[in-house]
Amino acid sequence: CNGSDGADGGPGQDGPPVLVRVALKPGPQPLLMVSCAGGGREEFFLVDPQGGHLTVRSAGGPGGTGGKGGRGGRGGMGGSGTPGGNSGSDGQSGRDGLDGRPGRDGHISVIYDPAVKPYLAAILPKGMTLGQPGLDVREAPVPPIW
């Protein structure tokens, strides 16, 4: 008897959309007040733009692992007698399932206060540039976040 094929893994979940708001906390050493909201939660950060940075990502989840194929059965033993019977052939093992595709990264929207513009490099997602698909960056008044 042949083994059955393993099931393919399911697709990974897409990353949630994320809204990042950035305001300037003025003072002798200006700091960036950052709010990141997505996936049902919101987190707050204080970033020193003179050497600090914040990396924001919304990564999709990995795909599920494919199932293992079943092992083929052993062939039956040949009968005894004269002449002896031939043994049966072993069954073929089933194929392993394929891994599921990973989820897509989520869309990131960044709204920054005009006073933050000189410090934009400290809060842009790592490796992303303005105008890149999946990233919307715009300037608009942002009140103090806390």
Side-chain angles (χ1 to χ4, degrees), residues 10-18 57-64 100-108 128 133-134:
Q13 186 172 10
D14 292 344
V18 175
R57 288 197 63 215
S58 179
R101 70 160 179 77
R104 295 182 302 249
D105 290 347
H107 185 85
I108 298 174
M128 293 189 125

Side-chain angles (χ1 to χ4, degrees), residues 12-133:
Q13 186 172 10
D14 292 344
V18 175
L19 174 61
V20 179
R21 295 179 307 125
V22 187
L24 187 67
K25 181 177 183 186
Q29 181 173 348
L31 298 171
L32 303 178
M33 295 184 290
V34 182
S35 161
C36 294
R41 55 189 265 201
E42 184 173 17
E43 295 188 35
F44 301 94
F45 303 91
L46 198 55
V47 179
D48 178 356
Q50 304 299 330
H53 68 277
L54 175 66
T55 300
V56 177
R57 288 197 63 215
S58 179
T65 303
K68 292 286 185 195
R71 185 174 162 189
R74 292 211 39 142
M77 198 166 183
S80 60
T82 306
N86 293 330
S87 295
S89 300
D90 290 349
Q92 294 182 342
S93 294
R95 72 161 180 83
D96 291 345
L98 301 173
D99 290 346
R101 70 160 179 77
R104 295 182 302 249
D105 290 347
H107 185 85
I108 298 174
S109 297
V110 179
I111 301 171
Y112 66 92
D113 191 82
V116 171
K117 193 168 190 168
Y119 310 110
L120 210 49
I123 53 100
L124 277 180
K126 190 173 189 166
M128 293 189 125
T129 57
L130 296 176
Q132 182 170 337

